Amino acid sequence: MKLLEMNHVRKNFDGLEVLKDISFSIERGEVVSVIGPSGSGKSTLLRCATMLEKMDGGELYYMGEAAAWEKDGKCVYASKKELKKLHKYFGLVFQNFNLFPHYNVMKNITDSLIRVDKVARKEAVSRAVRLLEQLGLEDKQSAYPCQLSGGQQQRVSIARALARQPQLLFFDEPTSALDPELTMEVLKVIRQLAKEHMTMIIVTHEMQFAREVSDRIIFMEDGVIKGEGTPDEFFATDNGRIRDFIGKLSGAGA
Amino acid sequence: MSIQVMLLQLGKGMIVSVEIFILTLLFSLPLGLVISFGRMSKNFALRAITKFYISVMRGTPLMLQLLVVYFAPYYVLGIKISAGYRFVAVILAFVINYAAYFAEIYRSGIESMPVGQYEAAKVLGYNKLQTFFKIILPQVIKRILPSVTNEIITLVKDTSLAFAIAQAEMFTIAKQIAASQTSVMPLMVAGVYYYIFNLIVAVAMEKVEKAFSYYR
């Protein structure tokens, strides 16, 4: 079953076409990495999928339910109530974590569960405790984000996203704000999620990581999908531009 | 006049000054927030009106505003000013003046919030009200506390402007005693009272800032 489907997505910023007719979908249990140079539109694609940006054209479906579609050449979104429901299907992990600095770790994870999703406090806390244990943060429940390392903050933000039990998890360059050592601890968590067949879409620059965890890799450039395939196909591609990009990044990483 | 009587009379005036201070804060702090919303509104007319209002409030003397608020009902509308209106006019003038300053402080705080906080809240499903009051405002308050402390300390001293419409607060009384006794002593004592008042305010605000210092 297609968890997410995007068809003919277009997005402009002040007349600049950032996404040009992008179509894309993901099946349950799939891990898809989106790679590409800066400004290629990969983050914008993710922000359109998570409805942080409004698309200028195209369709967006979650679990077959329409979030947005085209009518008379314009993009229309579903009702607030409908969108609220669709919002429960996915979670998003930001590059800069975006934890709430005035809440401790426990409250960062449980507050939206209790306040928004109306989960009983006891259940919310037990979910959080379980996740924090899994992520090796069991002793950080009452710490505030400012007392944590970047890697720990990112793991808390992954816990916050997972606590809502989404069908699909988006990662927007989850390790770009971290040094190599902290990057490792976050990638380890994502790797574990991949093993558990969590459906994930990961925008990343970590080539080796993408190769290792993904079922499919998408290469974006200039607002279009230039290539797509399994990691093996991808790393053996004869598409010069993709080879070039992989080569550059691998070189830069060495 | 014995020194005790003078201290007592100034003390009574002090109570009125404190009343002005508390009532002004009580109304102008929430009103300022509402005005800051108008100032940041997407609606052009609303934005223009609040901008004009703030510029007038900040651009003209508070003493003049006091006189206008006090005398306008009589000169403009022909309503006879009742004795009880004096204090109401003081509070009204202070509230609309301070709300303008607070509105700009709120605005600076709200606009300094990183957009990521709104986005995280949105993805987690918080609605707009929850996002503002649970996620944004607590952080804004922490950010603006130093500026608010500044305004509050100024307010303590500004309460003395109520003498312009003969409201019997501490400064008005100090001036009257000083004139009748031909002594500068009452004014000195009033100065000490104001200073102590502000010392208390400063210590209290420091406590509040400390209460918010558990996170960065």
Side-chain angles (χ1 to χ4, degrees):
Chain A
M1 180 190 188
K2 278 179 184 159
L3 278 189
L4 166 72
E5 190 177 352
M6 298 175 89
N7 295 320
H8 309 293
V9 171
R10 285 179 288 112
K11 175 71 187 172
N12 301 314
F13 285 117
D14 302 320
L16 183 75
E17 265 194 298
V18 182
L19 297 178
K20 307 165 185 167
D21 193 39
I22 293 227
S23 296
F24 165 84
S25 68
I26 184 165
E27 301 278 336
R28 186 184 290 284
E30 232 188 335
V31 178
V32 175
S33 291
V34 183
I35 61 169
S38 303
S40 60
K42 52 193 193 312
S43 278
T44 308
L45 178 65
L46 194 139
R47 291 172 60 83
C48 283
T50 52
M51 296 184 261
L52 288 175
E53 296 288 350
K54 286 210 156 168
M55 310 184 296
D56 293 317
E59 302 171 330
L60 175 63
Y61 296 92
Y62 274 98
M63 321 261 288
E65 296 169 58
W69 58 89
E70 252 183 73
K71 195 179 170 194
D72 306 325
K74 273 194 180 160
C75 197
V76 277
Y77 278 79
S79 68
K80 247 190 180 167
K81 202 177 145 205
E82 182 67 18
L83 290 180
K84 200 175 168 191
K85 187 177 129 203
L86 300 183
H87 256 104
K88 290 194 201 258
Y89 291 149
F90 65 85
L92 169 60
V93 174
F94 295 87
Q95 180 178 342
N96 300 319
F97 334 131
N98 291 337
L99 292 174
F100 303 131
H102 58 309
Y103 288 168
N104 66 19
V105 166
M106 179 54 78
K107 195 161 185 194
N108 259 287
I109 298 172
T110 56
D111 190 68
S112 72
L113 290 181
I114 297 164
R115 203 181 295 283
V116 178
D117 304 321
K118 309 294 177 205
V119 174
R121 178 176 297 273
K122 224 176 144 187
E123 159 71 7
V125 169
S126 82
R127 267 193 221 175
V129 169
R130 225 166 27 236
L131 282 165
L132 288 173
E133 269 170 20
Q134 274 174 33
L135 301 183
L137 295 164
E138 56 273 22
D139 56 338
K140 299 293 180 195
Q141 286 186 26
S142 49
Y144 284 86
C146 63
Q147 299 166 317
L148 303 178
S149 74
Q152 290 169 332
Q153 289 189 51
Q154 191 59 301
R155 282 185 281 155
V156 171
S157 94
I158 293 173
R160 179 172 73 173
L162 286 173
R164 294 173 62 241
Q165 303 179 331
Q167 307 283 332
L168 167 64
L169 201 49
F170 292 94
F171 290 85
D172 188 5
E173 304 195 17
T175 61
S176 292
L178 303 174
D179 67 34
E181 198 185 342
L182 299 180
T183 296
M184 283 302 135
E185 64 180 61
V186 170
L187 293 186
K188 197 175 123 198
V189 169
I190 303 175
R191 209 174 277 134
Q192 184 58 36
L193 290 172
K195 264 190 206 138
E196 292 161 13
H197 300 289
M198 179 78 206
T199 314
M200 295 187 281
I201 299 176
I202 308 165
V203 171
T204 184
H205 290 296
E206 301 285 337
M207 286 308 221
Q208 279 313 316
F209 173 73
R211 180 176 196 168
E212 182 194 327
V213 299
S214 313
D215 298 305
R216 188 151 54 99
I217 296 178
I218 288 176
F219 177 72
M220 278 185 74
E221 189 169 40
D222 300 327
V224 293
I225 294 176
K226 286 261 175 83
E228 179 169 2
T230 65
D232 289 342
E233 287 169 359
F234 203 80
F235 278 80
T237 183
D238 47 16
N239 178 324
R241 179 63 195 114
I242 296 177
R243 289 179 74 111
D244 205 37
F245 182 74
I246 294 172
K248 250 187 218 156
L249 275 199
S250 308
Chain B
M1 183 188 278
S2 74
I3 195 122
Q4 274 113 325
V5 175
M6 183 184 77
L7 289 177
L8 197 71
Q9 285 191 347
L10 286 175
K12 273 184 194 158
M14 177 86 171
I15 290 171
V16 179
S17 298
V18 172
E19 277 172 5
I20 297 171
F21 173 79
I22 290 173
L23 287 171
T24 301
L25 284 185
L26 204 62
F27 291 110
S28 64
L29 280 169
L31 181 63
L33 186 59
V34 174
I35 294 167
S36 78
F37 290 149
R39 179 71 181 74
M40 294 181 291
S41 164
K42 285 186 187 120
N43 181 311
F44 174 79
L46 191 58
R47 212 168 56 234
I49 291 168
T50 44
K51 201 172 168 183
F52 177 70
Y53 161 78
I54 290 168
S55 105
V56 170
M57 286 299 140
R58 297 203 299 183
T60 59
L62 176 52
M63 196 189 289
L64 183 142
Q65 292 166 15
L66 264 166
L67 292 172
V68 168
V69 169
Y70 183 54
F71 290 113
Y74 178 72
Y75 287 117
V76 178
L77 305 170
I79 301 169
K80 197 167 180 299
I81 297 171
S82 70
Y85 180 63
R86 196 191 305 275
F87 187 70
V88 175
V90 171
I91 300 303
L92 199 61
F94 273 94
V95 166
I96 58 171
N97 178 281
Y98 271 81
Y101 283 94
F102 285 136
E104 284 299 89
I105 293 176
Y106 281 121
R107 183 170 72 93
S108 72
I110 291 168
E111 289 182 345
S112 76
M113 284 297 295
V115 67
Q117 291 290 304
Y118 291 94
E119 293 184 341
K122 191 178 174 200
V123 170
L124 292 171
Y126 289 94
N127 65 32
K128 286 205 165 132
L129 277 180
Q130 289 166 337
T131 303
F132 185 75
F133 285 104
K134 296 294 169 185
I135 309 295
I136 303 299
L137 190 59
Q139 298 182 56
V140 166
I141 291 172
K142 178 183 166 78
R143 283 171 189 232
I144 65 176
L145 269 177
S147 322
V148 169
T149 301
N150 248 335
E151 282 308 314
I152 293 180
I153 284 174
T154 305
L155 173 60
V156 169
K157 294 173 285 177
D158 273 0
T159 56
S160 63
L161 287 172
F163 95 96
I165 55 174
Q167 173 63 47
E169 44 65 64
M170 184 164 55
F171 187 72
T172 311
I173 292 171
K175 249 186 89 200
Q176 283 166 357
I177 303 175
S180 67
Q181 305 283 309
T182 55
S183 157
V184 78
M185 193 60 185
L187 293 174
M188 305 286 272
V189 174
V192 172
Y193 274 15
Y194 280 118
Y195 183 73
I196 293 171
F197 190 169
N198 258 332
L199 221 51
I200 294 168
V201 167
V203 169
M205 289 309 286
E206 213 172 289
K207 282 243 162 72
V208 176
E209 274 188 46
K210 217 166 236 163
F212 275 88
S213 69
Y214 66 91
Y215 72 89
R216 252 177 295 140

